[in-house]
Amino acid sequence: MVKTPWILMCPPRFYGIEYEINPWMNRRVKSDPDKAARQWQALHDALIGLGAAVELLEPVEGLPDLVFTANAGLVYRDLFLSSRFRYGERQGETPVFDRWFAEHGFRVEHTPDGMHFEGAGDALFCGETLFAGYRFRSDARTMSWVGDRLGVEVLPLELVDPRYYHLDTCFCPIAPNAAIYFPGAFDEYGRSVLQDRIWTLIEVSAEEAFSFSCNAVVVGRSVLLNRGAPKLARELERLGFAAVPLDLTEFIKAGGSAKCLTFRLDGEDAASWRTAASAATG
């Protein structure tokens, strides 16, 4: 029995560009609150339409990036490994996320002091392996610690383009042996690791990566992503996936898109541990 996808989102009531902590943010380029709300709602409704159960986190004034729930932490079975944000502007989100996860039955743990870790933004399972981005937000040594804590193989990948500051902006597992990625976001070693370890690796062009097409949400065989990636959509459909394009331009102003706006509470579809857990309970 396949479990119902379980996703955490946060309405964009207090979302806005209030500071600059990545190259996409510019306080002079304001977000449109009404448009952002419509775009967020369209993503929410599309997920519901695909059969997902969506939990809502209460927005908090003064935490504009709380809407990007993907950065809350990392879930592995019933463990929630909470993020330790690099920038002070986002550190106030941690107690909000910790409280929610504790209230919903997760064991909440943190990385050691000084070890920056930005959750599912930089840590993504593809099969049994945890692919881990580092440099701009998370630390390489932290990712090794995460692997030891979870008892899983971790492959650290250095990010080299500050526009793709989180792994989920340039890499998206779509099945336990398949992923999409933008090669220009990685160094030569990182590209070789991805090419060696993932059977089906779909290369995204620089133009389509710039539209945040890699920052996608996968629900079964459906891939929800920002509009502006027709080549990727065709390739996904050739492989038997359904591309679901959405307008998420208001969130790209802050450096996020569909994946950033969601957190899979039950584990990503591409994670083998989730599939095994589902089979065991079925």
Side-chain angles (χ1 to χ4, degrees), residues 7-44:
I7 295 172
L8 178 66
M9 298 182 70
C10 178
R13 190 183 313 153
F14 301 114
Y15 167 69
I17 314 301
E18 298 181 9
Y19 43 74
E20 298 174 9
I21 58 173
N22 67 55
W24 301 88
M25 289 177 148
N26 185 336
R27 282 174 291 181
R28 293 176 304 223
V29 180
K30 301 296 184 182
S31 64
D32 181 324
D34 293 336
K35 189 174 181 181
R38 291 194 299 271
Q39 292 182 351
W40 182 92
Q41 191 66 49
L43 173 61
H44 172 277

Coordinates of all heavy atoms in Angstrom, one line a residue, residues 7-44:
I7 N 2.7 16.6 3.4 CA 3.5 17.8 3.1 C 3.2 18.9 4.1 O 2.0 19.1 4.4 CB 3.2 18.2 1.6 CG1 3.7 17.1 0.7 CG2 3.9 19.5 1.3 CD1 3.4 17.3 -0.8
L8 N 4.2 19.6 4.5 CA 4.0 20.8 5.3 C 4.3 22.1 4.5 O 5.3 22.2 3.8 CB 5.1 20.8 6.5 CG 5.1 22.0 7.4 CD1 3.7 22.1 8.2 CD2 6.2 22.0 8.4
M9 N 3.3 23.0 4.6 CA 3.4 24.3 3.9 C 3.1 25.4 4.9 O 2.5 25.1 5.9 CB 2.5 24.4 2.7 CG 2.8 23.4 1.6 SD 1.7 23.6 0.1 CE 2.3 25.1 -0.6
C10 N 3.5 26.6 4.6 CA 3.2 27.8 5.4 C 2.7 28.9 4.5 O 3.4 29.3 3.6 CB 4.5 28.2 6.1 SG 4.3 29.7 7.2
P11 N 1.5 29.4 4.8 CA 0.9 30.4 3.9 C 1.8 31.7 4.0 O 2.4 32.0 5.0 CB -0.5 30.7 4.6 CG -0.8 29.4 5.3 CD 0.5 28.9 5.8
P12 N 1.8 32.4 2.8 CA 2.7 33.6 2.7 C 2.2 34.9 3.3 O 2.4 35.9 2.7 CB 2.9 33.6 1.2 CG 1.6 33.2 0.6 CD 1.1 32.1 1.6
R13 N 1.5 34.8 4.4 CA 0.9 36.0 5.0 C 1.9 37.1 5.3 O 1.6 38.3 5.1 CB 0.1 35.6 6.2 CG -0.8 36.8 6.8 CD -1.5 36.3 8.1 NE -2.0 35.0 7.9 CZ -2.2 34.2 9.0 NH1 -1.8 34.5 10.2 NH2 -2.7 33.0 8.8
F14 N 3.1 36.7 5.7 CA 4.1 37.7 6.1 C 5.3 37.6 5.2 O 6.4 38.1 5.5 CB 4.5 37.5 7.6 CG 3.4 37.6 8.5 CD1 3.0 36.6 9.3 CD2 2.7 38.8 8.7 CE1 1.9 36.7 10.2 CE2 1.7 39.0 9.6 CZ 1.3 37.9 10.3
Y15 N 5.2 36.9 4.0 CA 6.3 36.8 3.1 C 6.6 38.1 2.5 O 5.7 38.9 2.1 CB 5.9 35.8 2.0 CG 6.8 35.8 0.8 CD1 8.1 35.4 0.9 CD2 6.4 36.3 -0.4 CE1 9.0 35.4 -0.2 CE2 7.2 36.3 -1.5 CZ 8.5 35.9 -1.4 OH 9.4 35.9 -2.5
G16 N 7.9 38.4 2.3 CA 8.4 39.6 1.6 C 9.9 39.6 1.5 O 10.6 38.8 2.1
I17 N 10.4 40.5 0.7 CA 11.9 40.6 0.6 C 12.3 41.7 1.6 O 12.3 42.9 1.3 CB 12.3 41.0 -0.9 CG1 11.5 40.2 -1.9 CG2 13.8 40.9 -1.0 CD1 11.7 38.7 -1.8
E18 N 12.7 41.3 2.8 CA 13.0 42.2 3.8 C 14.5 42.3 4.1 O 15.0 43.1 4.9 CB 12.3 41.8 5.1 CG 10.7 41.9 5.0 CD 10.0 41.5 6.2 OE1 10.7 41.3 7.3 OE2 8.8 41.4 6.2
Y19 N 15.3 41.4 3.5 CA 16.7 41.4 3.6 C 17.3 40.7 2.4 O 16.6 40.2 1.5 CB 17.2 40.7 4.9 CG 16.4 39.4 5.2 CD1 16.7 38.2 4.5 CD2 15.4 39.3 6.2 CE1 16.0 37.0 4.8 CE2 14.8 38.2 6.5 CZ 15.1 37.0 5.8 OH 14.4 35.8 6.0
E20 N 18.7 40.7 2.4 CA 19.3 40.1 1.2 C 20.4 39.1 1.7 O 21.4 39.5 2.2 CB 20.0 41.2 0.3 CG 19.0 42.2 -0.2 CD 19.6 43.4 -0.9 OE1 20.9 43.3 -1.1 OE2 18.9 44.3 -1.2
I21 N 20.1 37.8 1.5 CA 21.0 36.8 1.9 C 21.4 35.8 0.8 O 22.0 34.8 1.0 CB 20.5 36.0 3.2 CG1 19.2 35.3 2.9 CG2 20.4 36.9 4.4 CD1 18.7 34.4 4.0
N22 N 20.9 36.1 -0.4 CA 21.3 35.3 -1.6 C 21.2 36.3 -2.8 O 20.6 37.3 -2.7 CB 20.5 34.1 -1.8 CG 19.0 34.3 -2.1 OD1 18.7 35.0 -3.1 ND2 18.1 33.8 -1.3
P23 N 21.8 35.9 -3.9 CA 21.9 36.8 -5.1 C 20.5 37.1 -5.7 O 20.4 38.1 -6.5 CB 22.7 36.0 -6.1 CG 23.6 35.1 -5.3 CD 22.7 34.7 -4.1
W24 N 19.5 36.4 -5.4 CA 18.2 36.7 -6.0 C 17.4 37.8 -5.2 O 16.6 38.5 -5.8 CB 17.3 35.4 -5.9 CG 17.9 34.2 -6.6 CD1 18.8 33.3 -6.2 CD2 17.7 33.9 -8.0 NE1 19.1 32.4 -7.1 CE2 18.5 32.8 -8.3 CE3 16.9 34.5 -9.0 CZ2 18.5 32.1 -9.5 CZ3 17.0 33.9 -10.3 CH2 17.8 32.7 -10.5
M25 N 17.8 38.0 -4.0 CA 17.1 38.9 -3.1 C 17.5 40.4 -3.4 O 18.7 40.6 -3.4 CB 17.3 38.6 -1.6 CG 16.5 37.3 -1.2 SD 16.9 37.0 0.6 CE 15.4 36.2 1.1
N26 N 16.6 41.3 -3.5 CA 16.8 42.7 -3.7 C 15.7 43.4 -3.0 O 14.5 43.4 -3.5 CB 16.9 43.0 -5.2 CG 17.3 44.5 -5.4 OD1 17.1 45.3 -4.6 ND2 17.9 44.7 -6.6
R27 N 16.0 44.1 -2.0 CA 14.9 44.8 -1.2 C 14.2 45.9 -2.1 O 13.1 46.3 -1.7 CB 15.5 45.4 0.1 CG 15.7 44.4 1.2 CD 16.4 45.0 2.4 NE 17.8 45.4 2.0 CZ 18.6 45.9 2.9 NH1 18.2 46.2 4.1 NH2 19.9 46.2 2.5
R28 N 14.8 46.3 -3.1 CA 14.2 47.3 -4.0 C 13.2 46.6 -4.9 O 12.3 47.3 -5.6 CB 15.2 48.0 -4.9 CG 16.1 48.9 -4.0 CD 17.2 49.6 -4.9 NE 18.0 48.5 -5.6 CZ 19.3 48.6 -5.7 NH1 20.0 49.6 -5.2 NH2 19.9 47.7 -6.4
V29 N 13.2 45.3 -5.1 CA 12.3 44.5 -5.9 C 11.3 43.9 -5.0 O 11.5 42.8 -4.5 CB 13.0 43.5 -6.8 CG1 12.0 42.7 -7.6 CG2 14.1 44.2 -7.6
K30 N 10.2 44.5 -4.7 CA 9.2 44.0 -3.7 C 8.4 42.9 -4.3 O 8.2 42.8 -5.5 CB 8.3 45.2 -3.3 CG 9.1 46.3 -2.7 CD 9.7 45.9 -1.4 CE 10.4 47.1 -0.7 NZ 11.1 46.7 0.6
S31 N 7.9 42.0 -3.4 CA 7.0 41.0 -3.9 C 5.6 41.6 -3.8 O 5.3 42.5 -3.0 CB 7.1 39.8 -2.9 OG 6.7 40.1 -1.6
D32 N 4.7 41.1 -4.6 CA 3.3 41.5 -4.6 C 2.5 40.5 -3.7 O 2.4 39.3 -4.1 CB 2.8 41.4 -6.1 CG 1.3 41.8 -6.2 OD1 0.5 41.5 -5.3 OD2 1.0 42.4 -7.2
P33 N 2.0 40.9 -2.6 CA 1.4 40.0 -1.6 C 0.2 39.2 -2.2 O 0.1 38.0 -2.0 CB 0.9 40.9 -0.5 CG 1.8 42.1 -0.6 CD 2.1 42.3 -2.0
D34 N -0.6 39.9 -3.0 CA -1.8 39.2 -3.5 C -1.4 38.2 -4.6 O -1.9 37.1 -4.6 CB -2.7 40.3 -4.2 CG -3.4 41.2 -3.2 OD1 -3.5 40.8 -2.0 OD2 -3.8 42.3 -3.5
K35 N -0.4 38.6 -5.4 CA 0.0 37.6 -6.4 C 0.7 36.4 -5.8 O 0.6 35.3 -6.2 CB 1.0 38.3 -7.4 CG 1.4 37.5 -8.6 CD 2.2 38.4 -9.6 CE 2.5 37.6 -10.8 NZ 3.4 38.4 -11.8
A36 N 1.5 36.7 -4.7 CA 2.2 35.6 -4.0 C 1.2 34.7 -3.4 O 1.4 33.4 -3.4 CB 3.1 36.2 -3.0
A37 N 0.2 35.2 -2.8 CA -0.9 34.4 -2.2 C -1.6 33.5 -3.3 O -1.8 32.3 -3.0 CB -1.9 35.3 -1.5
R38 N -1.8 34.1 -4.4 CA -2.5 33.3 -5.5 C -1.6 32.2 -6.0 O -2.0 31.0 -6.2 CB -2.9 34.2 -6.7 CG -4.0 35.1 -6.3 CD -4.6 35.7 -7.6 NE -3.6 36.5 -8.4 CZ -3.4 37.8 -8.2 NH1 -4.1 38.5 -7.2 NH2 -2.5 38.5 -8.9
Q39 N -0.3 32.5 -6.1 CA 0.7 31.5 -6.6 C 0.9 30.4 -5.6 O 0.9 29.2 -6.0 CB 2.0 32.2 -7.0 CG 1.9 33.1 -8.2 CD 3.3 33.7 -8.5 OE1 4.3 33.6 -7.8 NE2 3.3 34.4 -9.7
W40 N 1.0 30.7 -4.3 CA 1.1 29.7 -3.3 C -0.1 28.8 -3.2 O 0.0 27.6 -3.1 CB 1.3 30.4 -1.9 CG 1.5 29.5 -0.8 CD1 2.7 29.0 -0.3 CD2 0.5 28.9 0.0 NE1 2.4 28.2 0.8 CE2 1.1 28.1 1.0 CE3 -0.9 29.0 0.0 CZ2 0.4 27.4 1.9 CZ3 -1.7 28.3 1.0 CH2 -1.0 27.5 1.9
Q41 N -1.3 29.4 -3.3 CA -2.6 28.7 -3.3 C -2.7 27.7 -4.5 O -3.2 26.6 -4.3 CB -3.8 29.6 -3.3 CG -5.1 28.9 -3.0 CD -5.1 28.4 -1.5 OE1 -4.8 29.1 -0.6 NE2 -5.5 27.2 -1.4
A42 N -2.2 28.1 -5.6 CA -2.2 27.2 -6.8 C -1.3 26.0 -6.6 O -1.7 24.9 -7.0 CB -1.8 28.0 -8.1
L43 N -0.2 26.2 -6.0 CA 0.7 25.1 -5.7 C 0.0 24.2 -4.6 O 0.0 22.9 -4.8 CB 2.0 25.6 -5.1 CG 3.0 24.5 -4.6 CD1 3.4 23.5 -5.7 CD2 4.2 25.2 -4.0
H44 N -0.5 24.8 -3.6 CA -1.2 24.0 -2.6 C -2.4 23.2 -3.2 O -2.5 22.0 -2.9 CB -1.8 25.0 -1.5 CG -2.7 24.4 -0.5 ND1 -4.1 24.2 -0.7 CD2 -2.5 24.0 0.8 CE1 -4.6 23.7 0.3 NE2 -3.7 23.5 1.3

